[in-house]
């Protein structure tokens, strides 16, 4: 009786496909044999056929090719340039940085500023421009108690 192999590595599956294909088995036979050991959902029949075509075309390695996915936008040089721009003007905004670095998206700039450079927003207390007489006396009273303590 065959034992089932749970959660195999992708390169393991591809190696078995390559071996069985080199023996002369076709893709349907390979899928049928591997389904017995790895379970029905290990890989679709079309994926097995694709890998057989790849090995016929001359592919020899079974590992994933590097460079897949999106390229990283935030290089060390770019992060350093953004940091210099921020240190030049501490009252920066993401929109202002976007004007300085138009080749970078706003979300990428926000990620660089918050996650790579570890800057965070500081909340300022907003004071009304036109203070009423009541507000003025409250502020003066608070200032006097602060100075006396």
């Amino acid at each position: 009786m065959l034992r089932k192999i749970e959660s195999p590595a992708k390169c393991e599956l591809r190696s078995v496909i390559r071996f069985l294909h080199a023996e002369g088995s076709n893709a349907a036979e390979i899928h049928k044999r591997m389904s017995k050991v790895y379970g029905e959902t290990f890989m679709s029949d079309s994926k097995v056929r694709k890998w057989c075509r790849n090995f016929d075309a001359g592919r020899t390695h079974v590992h994933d090719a590097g460079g897949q996915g999106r390229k990283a936008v935030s290089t060390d040089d770019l992060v350093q340039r953004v940091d210099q721009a921020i240190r030049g003007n501490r009252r920066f905004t993401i929109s202002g940085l976007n004007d300085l670095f138009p080749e970078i998206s706003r979300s990428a700039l926000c990620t660089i500023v918050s996650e790579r450079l570890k800057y965070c927003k500081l909340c300022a207390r907003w004071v009304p421009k036109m203070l009423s007489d009541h507000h003025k006396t409250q502020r003066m009273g608070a200032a006097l108690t602060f100075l006396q303590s």
Side-chain angles (χ1 to χ4, degrees):
M1 184 170 155
L2 297 173
R3 288 191 319 187
K4 297 276 184 186
I5 298 176
E6 299 295 325
S7 63
K10 289 181 180 181
C11 60
E12 176 186 348
L13 296 173
R14 294 171 190 160
S15 297
V16 173
I17 293 171
R18 183 174 178 213
F19 174 78
L20 293 174
H21 186 67
E23 277 190 338
S25 299
N26 64 21
E29 292 170 356
I30 293 171
H31 186 267
K32 186 177 178 181
R33 286 181 66 184
M34 289 180 71
S35 294
K36 290 177 185 175
V37 176
Y38 293 107
E40 292 294 324
T41 59
F42 81 100
M43 187 184 283
S44 66
D45 186 48
S46 61
K47 287 283 187 187
V48 173
R49 291 180 192 282
K50 177 188 154 222
W51 278 103
C52 288
R53 283 193 306 271
N54 287 343
F55 294 133
D56 278 340
R59 183 170 179 157
T60 57
H61 59 281
V62 294
H63 297 287
D64 287 329
Q68 294 178 345
R70 240 182 230 189
K71 293 183 180 176
V73 174
S74 61
T75 61
D76 291 334
D77 178 50
L78 179 66
V79 171
Q80 186 179 10
R81 288 180 23 222
V82 170
D83 190 32
Q84 288 173 353
I86 291 171
R87 290 177 189 271
N89 178 14
R90 289 287 185 169
R91 295 178 179 224
F92 74 94
T93 60
I94 298 296
S95 298
L97 286 176
N98 198 18
D99 293 340
L100 293 174
F101 302 100
E103 69 275 7
I104 306 168
S105 68
R106 291 171 58 92
S107 61
L109 277 172
C110 192
T111 303
I112 290 171
V113 169
S114 61
E115 294 177 13
R116 294 282 303 265
L117 295 174
K118 304 289 186 205
Y119 286 112
C120 60
K121 284 185 181 180
L122 295 177
C123 295
R125 184 172 178 181
W126 291 93
V127 180
K129 272 188 171 182
M130 301 295 285
L131 294 176
S132 66
D133 291 330
H134 177 70
H135 288 122
K136 287 179 186 176
T137 54
Q138 275 186 332
R139 286 180 58 91
M140 288 302 291
L144 286 174
T145 56
F146 175 75
L147 291 174
Q148 290 174 355
S149 54

